[in-house]
Amino acid sequence: MRKQPLQAKQGEVAFRKDLAQQHFRKKTVFHHEYSTSEMARVLREKMERCRQDFIRLRNLGITLSPFLEIGSGYGQAALLLADEFQAEGFASDIALDPLKEISRVAKTRKLSRLPRLLVFDAEAIPFPDNSLPFVFCYQTLHHFPHPLSVTREVHRVLSPNGVFFFAEEPVAQSFNLKLWYRPTKLRWWETMLKTMLILPFISRIGKTEVDHHIIEDAFTLKVWDQALEPFEIMETRLEPFPFGPAGSLEKRNPLNRIFLFFLGGGIRGIVRKKGREVRTSFPPLPRRQAGRFACPSCRNRPLLTNTKNGFRCPQCADVYPVKNNIPLLIRKQERTSLYG
Ligand SMILES: [Zn+2]
């Protein structure tokens, strides 16, 4: 299976750093991305959507704490979960700079309970097997060549019966000429093509990301099936975009499939790690010790120990540093090229 190339990881780190400047410090770096005031509105809307999602999950009786969010960005989802739903857990991202803005978002939104912050690569999650009851992500899986490279890791770290929730991921549109990538804020001629209803059939979204070598993919339903294969599906929802009847992966709705074929759309899902009695490598972590990390470089994920400057692996002897109070739990080779 193809993994995310280093160049894409570098793009994530560099681009998200510049974008955070524009989103929070009123600097204009990219003309077709949101400004500081626009981003404030977008974050408000995102948090409202997250609130509805967490209410849904809570109503299904799903344990939301301790949680791990992957690809947190500015942490709006993790913040909401920590503050309004009294959950404890981690907001994480491969990019350090967006995570540094979380305290600012919390202050603006008057949220007092913050998640703990972590930098790592979602293809090598620095937690031991069977250690977390709830993992989730928004708009993250489509930045990898195949979502299975992440969902396999999620499956590994989930405790037996643990739940993975993902949302706002794209389903590929088969009917698209893919002539170019369009930016978040459309250019005038793209707006015209949008009015004529042809824009979504000839271009794809994510220009600024792709310019930075970030992967902007959309997966077919077959790929989504493969990505969720390790899990037991509780519910999924497939929504054609911009319109069309909703469906799901588990129950085939022909009309939904036709709309998805022509328009593409979005997918979200709640899935569970199969099996009641999976043999754990060690007993499930008590709540207060949920911060015990495992070495992302060593295959068997030995537990890291605390040192003065960070966390040390007893097996490979690597020391993972802490920057701005945020542990950088990335494999040495990549860590050096991403963070020096
Ligand atoms: Zn190690």
Side-chain angles (χ1 to χ4, degrees):
M1 188 192 5
R2 279 176 310 137
K3 295 281 186 116
Q4 192 185 44
L6 181 61
Q7 202 185 24
K9 296 183 200 297
Q10 288 168 326
E12 292 279 0
V13 172
F15 171 60
R16 310 283 176 205
K17 180 178 183 171
D18 289 345
L19 197 59
Q21 294 285 313
Q22 174 158 333
H23 286 164
F24 292 95
R25 276 166 245 273
K26 297 184 175 166
K27 279 192 189 171
T28 305
V29 191
F30 309 106
H31 285 283
H32 298 284
E33 293 296 329
Y34 294 127
S35 66
T36 301
S37 58
E38 286 167 330
M39 197 58 207
R41 174 180 55 80
V42 169
L43 280 179
R44 258 199 321 276
E45 291 166 2
K46 281 189 176 195
M47 283 179 107
E48 189 43 50
R49 289 204 297 276
C50 293
R51 178 179 289 120
Q52 300 310 319
D53 292 339
F54 294 139
I55 289 173
R56 169 84 188 135
L57 290 160
R58 191 175 58 187
N59 290 345
L60 286 171
I62 290 163
T63 307
L64 302 179
S65 184
F67 66 85
L68 171 65
E69 183 185 20
I70 301 173
S72 299
Y74 305 130
Q76 66 278 356
L79 271 174
L80 194 76
L81 196 51
D83 195 86
E84 271 186 39
F85 294 79
Q86 282 84 48
E88 281 179 43
F90 300 90
S92 74
D93 207 290
I94 194 166
L96 173 69
D97 285 83
L99 294 179
K100 295 196 305 210
E101 305 294 343
I102 288 187
S103 54
R104 182 189 297 262
V105 177
K107 213 170 164 188
T108 317
R109 309 285 304 164
K110 299 191 171 64
L111 304 172
S112 54
R113 284 169 54 105
L114 269 70
R116 295 174 62 181
L117 309 179
L118 279 182
V119 166
F120 65 77
D121 172 3
E123 290 178 335
I125 301 179
F127 281 92
D129 300 0
N130 308 307
S131 60
L132 292 156
F134 181 49
V135 179
F136 71 97
C137 65
Y138 284 91
Q139 298 181 6
T140 296
L141 301 173
H142 70 280
H143 293 308
F144 294 84
H146 197 300
L148 184 60
S149 70
V150 177
T151 56
R152 196 177 268 168
E153 271 294 275
V154 169
H155 184 267
R156 182 185 63 75
V157 300
L158 274 178
S159 44
N161 253 326
V163 167
F164 174 48
F165 165 66
F166 63 97
E168 300 179 10
E169 300 288 354
V171 174
Q173 173 192 26
S174 311
F175 193 77
N176 188 319
L177 295 180
K178 298 174 185 161
L179 297 181
W180 78 95
Y181 283 90
R182 56 184 190 269
T184 307
K185 285 163 70 179
L186 301 180
R187 293 163 282 194
W188 66 268
W189 48 275
E190 286 165 328
T191 312
M192 268 178 65
L193 291 168
K194 189 184 174 188
T195 321
M196 292 154 74
L197 303 176
I198 54 177
L199 186 71
F201 299 103
I202 53 177
S203 72
R204 309 173 70 177
I205 52 171
K207 180 188 186 308
T208 330
E209 284 85 349
V210 173
D211 285 349
H212 287 82
H213 308 291
I214 291 175
I215 295 171
E216 276 291 337
D217 217 338
F219 306 116
T220 61
L221 296 181
K222 190 180 159 200
V223 170
W224 282 115
D225 269 329
Q226 290 167 352
L228 301 181
E229 204 277 325
F231 301 89
E232 171 199 338
I233 290 182
M234 294 176 72
E235 62 176 47
T236 61
R237 189 174 168 86
L238 299 168
E239 280 182 57
F241 186 81
F243 54 82
S248 69
L249 271 182
E250 59 276 24
K251 281 192 216 120
R252 185 178 277 270
N253 169 348
L255 203 56
N256 168 253
R257 298 293 162 106
I258 291 169
F259 272 81
L260 283 174
F261 178 84
F262 284 103
L263 300 172
I267 181 171
R268 54 192 280 118
I270 306 171
V271 297
R272 200 201 296 268
K273 182 162 175 173
K274 285 177 205 165
R276 286 179 298 126
E277 291 296 327
V278 177
R279 185 179 288 273
T280 54
S281 58
F282 64 94
L285 294 169
R287 219 175 141 83
R288 62 189 169 78
Q289 281 182 306
R292 291 179 74 188
F293 306 127
C295 180
S297 313
C298 294
R299 263 190 170 279
N300 58 340
R301 299 284 191 271
L303 287 178
L304 301 179
T305 55
N306 285 295
T307 66
K308 209 164 65 201
N309 327 317
F311 299 88
R312 185 178 180 279
C313 174
Q315 199 166 304
C316 66
D318 192 8
V319 174
Y320 295 88
V322 177
K323 220 171 164 176
N324 299 88
N325 271 325
I326 305 175
L328 299 187
L329 302 179
I330 305 183
R331 288 167 293 208
K332 188 170 191 173
Q333 206 180 350
E334 286 161 359
R335 195 171 70 229
T336 317
S337 56
L338 296 177
Y339 291 103

